[in-house]
Amino acid sequence: FKLSYYNEYKSYLSLATMGLFSTIMQPSDDDMDNTCNLSWEHRLYAFGACCVIGIFLSIFGTIELWLTQYTAFALLYSLGTLTALAGTCFLRGPMSQVKKMFDKDRLISTIVLLVSIVLTIVCGAVLKIAILALLCVIIQSLAFIWYTLSYIPGARTAVKSCFSGLTGINCPC
């Protein structure tokens, strides 16, 4: 009896969450590449897996920073960011996602993000200057957050107004 109740509850929960995600997040057929045969549910799972793997890689990279392993820090942290970013390709398809990344609204944050990833690797793995690698990681994280906020309607405006309200500085970005 308990197992059947659990399975019924699980199926209702799955239907409710998938229905919510499909109405909120699923792009139209015009926005998606048709190169992937995954269902929308499997695309969400792949996106979530990439995000979780990316977060763990970044956490492991941060641990390496405290162990003064700057090469491992730079590589793991940057690989974590790239893995999380690559996960978004499952939502729209790779070509559509790359086009969206370089839209007018996201162009600057995308360029800053990609350049900061490269600079993190150069400063940590090649130059082995921890403070510069850490600075690049901070810029990388802020650029990734700003890039992510561009997909949420009104989020950048809300963050800018909060920043202006807290600091009294009008954000020009």
Side-chain angles (χ1 to χ4, degrees):
F1 174 74
K2 288 182 180 181
L3 184 58
S4 66
Y5 177 73
Y6 171 75
N7 286 336
E8 185 177 331
Y9 172 75
K10 183 178 170 187
S11 66
Y12 286 135
L13 183 63
S14 177
L15 283 173
T17 56
M18 285 301 116
L20 177 68
F21 280 127
S22 67
T23 56
I24 292 175
M25 294 177 56
Q26 186 173 11
S28 67
D29 288 338
D30 296 338
D31 289 340
M32 268 173 106
D33 292 346
N34 292 324
T35 57
C36 183
N37 293 329
L38 294 176
S39 69
W40 179 244
E41 182 178 0
H42 288 120
R43 286 176 184 245
L44 285 174
Y45 288 141
F47 165 72
C50 285
C51 287
V52 168
I53 291 167
I55 289 168
F56 277 116
L57 286 170
S58 295
I59 289 171
F60 293 145
T62 304
I63 292 169
E64 293 298 325
L65 174 67
W66 301 118
L67 298 174
T68 66
Q69 301 296 320
Y70 305 125
T71 300
F73 160 68
L75 293 175
L76 285 173
Y77 197 92
S78 296
L79 186 61
T81 301
L82 287 171
T83 303
L85 188 60
T88 61
C89 291
F90 284 104
L91 297 178
R92 303 189 77 82
M95 292 309 295
S96 178
Q97 184 60 29
V98 169
K99 286 178 188 174
K100 286 288 186 184
M101 286 176 69
F102 291 98
D103 273 355
K104 183 183 84 165
D105 294 336
R106 296 180 187 94
L107 182 63
I108 293 173
S109 60
T110 299
I111 290 171
V112 170
L113 176 61
L114 295 175
V115 167
S116 65
I117 289 170
V118 170
L119 288 176
T120 300
I121 293 170
V122 168
C123 291
V126 177
L127 301 176
K128 297 184 192 257
I129 302 174
I131 194 73
L132 283 180
L134 190 57
L135 179 64
C136 290
V137 162
I138 291 169
I139 294 169
Q140 179 180 329
S141 299
L142 291 173
F144 191 67
I145 290 168
W146 196 249
Y147 169 79
T148 304
L149 289 175
S150 72
Y151 284 96
I152 303 168
R156 285 181 167 183
T157 305
V159 169
K160 285 191 271 188
S161 71
C162 286
F163 179 78
S164 296
L166 290 173
T167 64
I169 299 170
N170 194 7
C171 183
C173 46

